[in-house]
Amino acid sequence: MSIVCVDTDVARRSTHRASSGAAATLWMAGAVATAVTTVAGAAIRVSGLAPGFTPIDWLSAWVWQAWPLGAALHLVIGIVILPVSFRLACAGLRIPAGLVCGLCFGVLVWWLCMFIVLPALGASLFGLIIGWPIALAVLFLQLLYGVSLALMMR
């Protein structure tokens, strides 16, 4: 009888380790993809390719105009929320977590930004009030994020 209890405890501990290891892998992939995309976004901002491109300021508008809270929200979305969404989307669509899934996920996140986030912030569909390069910059960055996430999760 005690052998069964020991085996159950071992199985429970190994399942917990496996799930915490999967979460750590997910969050590490999210951290790398967020870092890559943030650096690329900073390059776009500094280069002037998309005038008015200030994503941290956009997020800050949702948290009492506090820039540190906007930056924290950016990290939570990129490191925690989007990687979990990516895993669920790839599993739900039965697409292997590869480049195709990363590109599809990038387009999905871009679509959400263009049709929900930017209009909610008063920047209209596709951020056209700010300027048309915004839509292209956000598309590029979301595709880069999706591909980076997919490569890290391989």
Side-chain angles (χ1 to χ4, degrees):
M1 185 71 161
S2 64
I3 294 174
V4 172
C5 292
V6 169
D7 287 344
T8 304
D9 289 338
V10 169
R12 187 180 307 125
R13 276 184 267 146
S14 67
T15 302
H16 175 70
R17 267 185 265 150
S19 65
S20 65
T25 301
L26 200 62
W27 293 338
M28 181 59 73
V32 170
T34 299
V36 167
T37 306
T38 301
V39 169
I44 289 172
R45 171 105 169 95
V46 169
S47 71
L49 290 173
F53 181 71
T54 56
I56 301 296
D57 292 341
W58 299 339
L59 291 173
S60 297
W62 283 0
V63 286
W64 309 284
Q65 299 297 329
W67 195 91
L69 292 177
L73 184 58
H74 168 71
L75 294 174
V76 167
I77 290 169
I79 296 173
V80 178
I81 296 172
L82 288 179
V84 170
S85 301
F86 176 82
R87 175 68 52 91
L88 294 173
C90 287
L93 296 174
R94 296 187 179 138
I95 299 173
L99 292 178
V100 173
C101 191
L103 290 171
C104 291
F105 186 73
V107 170
L108 174 66
V109 173
W110 173 77
W111 187 89
L112 292 172
C113 289
M114 295 297 108
F115 288 95
I116 296 173
V117 175
L118 288 177
L121 293 171
S124 78
L125 290 175
F126 296 98
L128 291 176
I129 289 175
I130 303 169
W132 66 267
I134 297 299
L136 295 177
V138 174
L139 176 61
F140 169 74
L141 292 172
Q142 298 308 337
L143 291 173
L144 180 64
Y145 180 86
V147 168
S148 298
L149 196 59
L151 291 175
M152 288 301 298
M153 294 177 118
R154 276 188 147 173

